[in-house]
């Protein structure tokens, strides 16, 4: 595993640089990431390039056995560039043009900026593409972060119109498919269409508090903007690929923070990479983003290019708590267990200046190594011992499916906002299955489902006819499918189906949706009786209600209010498989029991480590042997039950019925014999 830190040599005096490089070399890490904000040093004047200062650091670290990830610096346009080309500046949904300063204030569609970006990428490729100490390249930095991914400048508006014309051919076809007749919004020409006023970007501000725009227009602008970001990224990726065989990527943020479709954006990249900042003080590190990352490129290892280090101030000054002793080490091994091939802390030494001054780092502003530094050193040594197990394969036969069109559509026109968030709900289903003792992959709608026995489909709000057929074939061929409320409500145009819901799949599930309504927090919930292998469970509904009717078996029925006796969870045999429809969200115990029953019906292998709250097990296979990484996130020493004897790979200890795990610790277990 490549393990290390982000570092900024352009900030340092010669004395500081000598001090820091000595500490970095003594730490045992093997990777440093540099350059993402250093364009003003790389090209101080137009066409005048200076990489000597960076190359000196790359070579010095390389000679000490530490490789470099180099970043193209295009997240921060240069002052001279903006003075010459003010049209490069980003225009937000309010029509506000962002001035020079801060970061990410450029239009990714601007021809001049694309040309400058291509030139700096070319110069970096020429200079570093064959450097033996460079192990990878990062393009830009956190594309579309901080509400910079939906530019509405004249260039972008024109390109958006061209995008619509290319897709719909005629304005009449666009009007028909998008339902512009509603509120009399028919257009006479594509030139009359403007980007939407509203936006779903985090941190963005709406110009008009209540302005209900056409949902098709808004979804198309999300797609167009995502595609434009990808096109801009690929200009640099194609150039770098000419000069290097090292992996080329960029760093995403979360699953959808920046509203770029990662399933599309990584097709021309060598590895999927993202930044992740979980809390490390008595907190469980959510592994759903790791499962998502692993599924982006069909199970290929992923990179974490920025990861929490702990301590320090945040932008707003509210501070960041320190990680528990051992939590940095645990978190790095946790990412390794889930398939990370790289983990880099942000950052090595606290900034004394700039927007991120006093922010978290491995070493404090004074450069004195303390607890976090020494724990990083211990982690680097531990990773060498764990290296052979990085080759272990994942053999999950369950998958949770997620989709960007659905995410965007549910942000554009939310249901039960803010209680229901699509990706959060998908993560909860992933977690409930894990609580039942089964690991899952997270995949997109384009994934090959033939290797899976159980597929979980959370709130597939936008579902094409082709995807309906794909799911039908999965069940018919012997798969177990669980779909939840609000499945197949809209088509790819973000227009509601006029079929009976779930549209195109009523024969598969054997039910129709008779009534729908949100279940609001604070209202009296309606009781539900759920049939499970352990007997009937009494639970309650939440979030939403798809009231069901049909020939399918009712395994969940309402027991109160006017809904008494009506179906809310159904099961139906279809072909060789089983199709379940979950019309509401249930309490955690009921959800865990339900998913455990489905996993057993699908013939999945249950982990022998008995689930305990805030303890996670990750199952992998190597040379025919099973290995189980077990992580204690409880915030205290604990013990975990075992279904059969297992041995600790690192210590050789054999545990018969339970294994102790220290606070912020982990075990790597395998068969005892």
């Amino acid at each position: 595993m490549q393990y290390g830190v982000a570092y900024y040599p352009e900030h340092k005096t010669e004395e500081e640089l000598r001090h820091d490089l000595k500490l970095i070399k003594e730490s045992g890490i093997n990777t440093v990431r540099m350059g993402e904000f250093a364009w003003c040093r790389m090209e101080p004047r137009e066409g005048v390039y200076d990489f000597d200062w960076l190359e000196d650091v790359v070579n010095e670290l390389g000679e000490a056995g530490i490789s470099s990830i180099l970043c193209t610096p295009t997240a921060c346009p240069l002052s001279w560039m903006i003075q010459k080309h003010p049209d490069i500046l980003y225009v937000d949904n309010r029509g506000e043009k962002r001035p020079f300063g801060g970061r990410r204030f450029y239009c990714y569609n601007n021809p001049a900026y694309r040309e400058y970006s291509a030139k700096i990428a070319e110069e970096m490729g020429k200079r570093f593409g064959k450097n033996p100490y460079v192990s990878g390249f990062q393009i830009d930095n956190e594309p579309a972060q901080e509400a910079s991914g939906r530019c509405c400048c004249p260039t972008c508006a024109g390109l958006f119109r061209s995008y619509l014309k290319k897709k719909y051919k005629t304005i009449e076809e666009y009007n028909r498919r998008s339902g512009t007749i509603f509120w009399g919004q028919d257009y006479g020409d594509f030139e009359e269409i403007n980007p939407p006023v509203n936006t779903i970007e985090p941190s963005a501000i709406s110009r008009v508090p209540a302005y209900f725009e056409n949902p098709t227009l808004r979804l198309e602008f999300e797609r167009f903007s995502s595609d434009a970001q990808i096109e801009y990224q690929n200009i640099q990726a194609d150039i770098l690929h000419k000069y290097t065989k090292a992996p080329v990527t960029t760093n995403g943020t979360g699953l959808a923070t920046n509203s770029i479709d990662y399933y599309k954006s990584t097709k021309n990249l060598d590895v999927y990479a993202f930044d992740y900042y979980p809390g490390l003080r008595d907190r469980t590190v959510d592994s759903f983003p790791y499962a998502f990352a692993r599924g982006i490129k069909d199970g290929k290892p992923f990179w974490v290019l920025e990861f929490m280090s702990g301590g320090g101030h945040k932008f707003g000054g509210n501070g960041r708590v320190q990680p528990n002793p051992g939590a940095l080490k645990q978190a790095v091994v946790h990412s390794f267990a889930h398939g990370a091939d790289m983990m880099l802390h942000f950052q090595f030494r606290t900034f004394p200046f700039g927007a991120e001054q006093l922010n978290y780092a491995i070493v404090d502003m004074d450069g004195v190594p303390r607890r976090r530094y020494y724990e990083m050193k211990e982690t680097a040594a531990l990773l060498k011992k764990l290296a052979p197990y990085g080759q272990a394969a994942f053999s999950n036969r369950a998958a949770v499916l997620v989709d960007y069109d659905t995410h965007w559509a549910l942000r554009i026109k939310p249901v039960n906002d803010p209680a229901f968030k699509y990706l959060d709900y998908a993560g909860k289903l992933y977690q409930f299955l894990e609580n039942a003792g089964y690991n899952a992959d997270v995949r997109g709608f384009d994934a090959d489902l033939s290797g899976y026995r159980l597929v979980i489909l959370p709130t597939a709000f936008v579902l094409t006819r082709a995807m309906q057929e794909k799911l039908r074939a999965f069940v018919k061929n012997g798969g177990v499918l669980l779909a939840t409320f609000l499945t197949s409500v809209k088509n790819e145009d973000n227009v509601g189906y006029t079929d009976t819901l779930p549209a195109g799949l009523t024969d598969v599930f054997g039910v129709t949706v008779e009534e729908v309504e949100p279940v609001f927090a604070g209202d009296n919930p309606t009781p539900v009786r759920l049939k499970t292998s352990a007997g009937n469970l009494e639970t309650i509904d939440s979030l939403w209600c798809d009231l069901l009717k049909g020939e399918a078996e009712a395994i969940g029925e309402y027991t109160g209010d006017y809904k008494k006796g009506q179906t809310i969870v159904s099961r139906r045999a279809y072909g060789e498989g089983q199709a379940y429809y979950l019309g509401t969200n249930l309490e955690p115990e009921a959800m865990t029991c339900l998913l455990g029953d489905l996993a057993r019906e699908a013939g999945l292998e249950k982990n022998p480590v008995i689930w305990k709250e805030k303890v996670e097990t990750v199952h992998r296979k190597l040379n025919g042997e099973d290995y189980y990484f077990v992580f204690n996130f409880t915030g205290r020493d604990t013990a975990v039950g075992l279904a059969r004897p297992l041995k600790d790979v690192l210590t050789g200890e054999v545990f018969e019925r339970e294994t102790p795990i220290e606070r912020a610790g982990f075990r790597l277990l395998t068969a005892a014999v």
Side-chain angles (χ1 to χ4, degrees):
M1 187 181 191
Q2 290 187 257
Y3 178 54
V5 292
Y7 186 59
Y8 300 86
E10 68 272 19
H11 294 180
K12 309 300 179 181
T13 65
E14 183 60 26
E15 181 182 359
E16 289 171 334
L17 186 64
R18 292 297 105 215
H19 173 87
D20 289 353
L21 292 182
K22 181 176 183 293
L23 284 179
I24 289 172
K25 286 186 276 189
E26 290 174 352
S27 69
I29 63 172
N30 58 25
T31 307
V32 169
R33 166 178 164 265
M34 299 182 287
E36 75 267 33
F37 300 126
W39 201 347
C40 62
R41 295 293 170 87
M42 295 177 183
E43 191 180 0
R45 297 187 306 281
E46 184 171 1
V48 177
Y49 299 98
D50 178 11
F51 297 108
D52 291 350
W53 60 274
L54 181 58
E55 189 172 49
D56 288 346
V57 177
V58 168
N59 290 341
E60 181 175 341
L61 290 172
E63 289 165 4
I66 300 171
S67 68
S68 293
I69 302 296
L70 296 186
C71 310
T72 66
T74 52
C76 291
L78 303 173
S79 179
W80 61 256
M81 192 184 296
I82 297 303
Q83 293 300 313
K84 185 175 180 180
H85 299 279
D87 58 331
I88 283 173
L89 293 171
Y90 184 91
V91 177
D92 69 16
N93 58 297
R94 301 169 299 167
E96 295 284 339
K97 181 179 285 190
R98 294 186 182 168
F100 178 83
R103 65 177 181 179
R104 308 219 54 81
F105 50 86
Y106 67 80
C107 170
Y108 39 84
N109 280 318
N110 182 271
Y113 196 65
R114 287 189 169 195
E115 185 176 345
Y116 283 122
S117 299
K119 286 178 180 177
I120 191 65
E122 185 114 29
E123 293 298 325
M124 289 192 73
K126 289 177 181 177
R127 187 66 172 263
F128 296 104
K130 291 184 170 56
N131 188 306
Y133 303 133
V134 174
S135 58
F137 289 87
Q138 174 190 305
I139 296 166
D140 205 89
N141 187 75
E142 298 183 339
Q145 183 73 350
E146 295 149 358
S148 64
R150 298 295 179 264
C151 186
C152 298
C153 74
T155 296
C156 291
L159 290 171
F160 179 48
R161 296 179 191 112
S162 297
Y163 163 89
L164 293 174
K165 187 172 184 178
K166 181 178 179 181
K167 179 170 182 176
Y168 290 94
K169 311 302 182 190
T170 68
I171 195 64
E172 291 78 14
E173 179 69 0
Y174 172 76
N175 287 338
R176 182 187 69 80
R177 286 173 57 180
S178 62
T180 54
I181 188 59
F182 189 83
W183 284 352
Q185 294 174 359
D186 277 0
Y187 295 98
D189 192 278
F190 285 105
E191 293 303 311
E192 299 171 7
I193 300 177
N194 290 309
V197 170
N198 289 298
T199 181
I200 62 175
E201 283 197 284
S203 302
I205 301 171
S206 292
R207 182 172 64 187
V208 183
Y211 188 72
F212 304 102
E213 295 175 284
N214 184 283
T216 302
L217 178 76
R218 291 192 61 189
L219 180 57
E220 290 293 12
F221 192 65
E222 293 299 311
R223 290 167 173 159
F224 159 76
S225 299
S226 175
D227 288 351
Q229 291 275 352
I230 295 167
E231 185 178 89
Y232 171 73
Q233 160 203 286
N234 287 342
I235 291 169
Q236 297 188 50
D238 289 344
I239 289 169
L240 290 170
H241 280 137
K242 290 193 304 182
Y243 293 100
T244 186
K245 293 183 179 179
V248 175
T249 189
T250 190
N251 54 334
T253 55
L255 278 67
T257 305
N258 55 13
S259 287
I260 294 174
D261 185 336
Y262 291 142
Y263 291 109
K264 289 184 178 180
S265 71
T266 53
K267 290 185 184 300
N268 194 38
L269 301 177
D270 300 298
V271 61
Y272 172 66
F274 73 113
D275 300 344
Y276 192 26
Y277 287 89
L280 299 179
R281 179 80 159 268
D282 297 331
R283 294 275 300 275
T284 299
V285 177
D286 182 10
S287 63
F288 185 66
Y290 292 146
F292 173 83
R294 197 173 60 243
I296 286 284
K297 293 184 79 68
D298 295 327
K300 188 175 181 180
F302 57 89
W303 291 357
V304 182
L305 286 169
E306 292 183 19
F307 189 78
M308 177 65 77
S309 52
H313 295 246
K314 193 180 179 183
F315 289 138
N318 62 332
R320 290 285 178 93
V321 295
Q322 296 284 357
N324 290 328
L328 281 180
K329 183 194 305 180
Q330 181 195 55
V332 173
V333 177
H334 185 235
S335 73
F336 172 83
H338 276 284
D341 211 23
M342 182 184 296
M343 168 68 87
L344 306 181
H345 294 294
F346 184 85
Q347 54 167 315
F348 181 67
R349 185 170 172 179
T350 299
F351 301 130
F353 44 61
E356 294 185 76
Q357 65 177 179
L358 311 183
N359 213 351
Y360 36 73
I362 292 295
V363 175
D364 295 319
M365 199 158 40
D366 59 6
V368 176
R370 296 184 173 92
R371 172 165 69 93
R372 295 187 303 277
Y373 173 83
Y374 292 113
E375 189 167 321
M376 182 179 76
K377 193 171 183 177
E378 292 172 10
T379 304
L382 174 62
L383 287 171
K384 293 179 181 178
K385 296 180 182 179
L386 292 174
Y389 305 100
Q391 303 302 313
F394 293 88
S395 57
N396 300 327
R397 303 297 300 279
V400 178
L401 302 188
V402 297
D403 173 59
Y404 278 95
D405 279 350
T406 288
H407 164 69
W408 289 328
L410 284 167
R411 290 289 307 281
I412 290 165
K413 194 171 179 60
V415 297
N416 200 350
D417 188 49
F420 177 78
K421 296 187 184 304
Y422 168 64
L423 291 173
D424 288 351
Y425 187 64
K428 287 179 181 177
L429 294 180
Y430 166 90
Q431 184 63 58
F432 288 138
L433 184 62
E434 183 180 278
N435 295 355
Y438 304 90
N439 293 136
D441 294 334
V442 179
R443 305 299 304 273
F445 279 11
D446 288 340
D448 179 3
L449 302 182
S450 60
Y452 295 107
R453 298 290 304 139
L454 170 63
V455 164
I456 299 170
L457 188 70
T459 310
F461 200 49
V462 176
L463 207 61
T464 65
R465 294 299 190 191
M467 190 61 190
Q468 293 167 10
E469 290 306 311
K470 184 174 182 176
L471 295 170
R472 174 179 281 103
F474 172 76
V475 180
K476 189 174 183 180
N477 292 331
V480 176
L481 172 66
L482 172 68
T484 79
F485 52 89
L486 292 168
T487 290
S488 199
V489 176
K490 292 184 175 184
N491 66 15
E492 61 267 37
D493 297 327
N494 206 17
V495 170
Y497 280 114
T498 56
D499 308 20
T500 299
L501 302 182
L505 292 170
T506 54
D507 60 324
V508 176
F509 293 105
V511 293
T512 59
V513 176
E514 296 295 292
E515 291 184 1
V516 300
E517 65 175 352
V519 181
F520 293 119
D523 287 356
N524 290 326
T526 307
V528 173
R529 180 178 295 114
L530 181 70
K531 298 177 186 176
T532 74
S533 59
N536 289 335
L537 275 180
E538 301 298 326
T539 183
I540 56 175
D541 66 355
S542 64
L543 296 180
W544 192 264
C545 170
D546 276 359
L547 202 60
L548 307 175
K549 182 179 180 180
E551 61 187 29
E553 177 189 0
I555 64 169
E557 291 185 343
Y558 278 115
T559 59
D561 201 14
Y562 74 89
K563 300 175 184 177
K564 184 175 181 179
Q566 298 193 62
T567 302
I568 192 63
V569 188
S570 65
R571 174 180 185 265
R572 190 197 185 203
Y574 183 83
E576 300 297 318
Q578 299 288 337
Y580 290 79
Y581 196 98
L582 175 64
T584 189
N585 183 58
L586 303 172
E587 292 178 292
E589 181 186 0
M591 293 297 297
T592 299
C593 286
L594 175 63
L595 288 169
D597 283 354
L598 269 61
R600 283 187 290 275
E601 184 170 30
L604 305 190
E605 179 183 355
K606 188 174 183 178
N607 289 329
V609 180
I610 298 169
W611 180 79
K612 184 174 187 176
E613 189 174 2
K614 295 187 177 181
V615 175
E616 181 181 4
T617 301
V618 183
H619 177 209
R620 297 176 68 171
K621 285 181 176 288
L622 180 64
N623 298 326
E625 300 293 327
D626 293 301
Y627 291 89
Y628 304 94
F629 290 85
V630 188
F631 298 92
N632 174 17
F633 295 115
T634 64
R636 62 186 184 277
D637 294 349
T638 193
V640 183
L642 303 175
R644 61 177 184 269
L646 295 173
K647 179 178 70 175
D648 188 303
V649 171
L650 296 178
T651 68
E653 296 172 272
V654 174
F655 303 100
E656 296 289 337
R657 295 184 178 179
E658 68 174 22
T659 176
I661 310 178
E662 65 183 5
R663 179 184 186 183
F666 78 96
R667 295 276 188 189
L668 175 54
L669 303 174
T670 191
V673 291

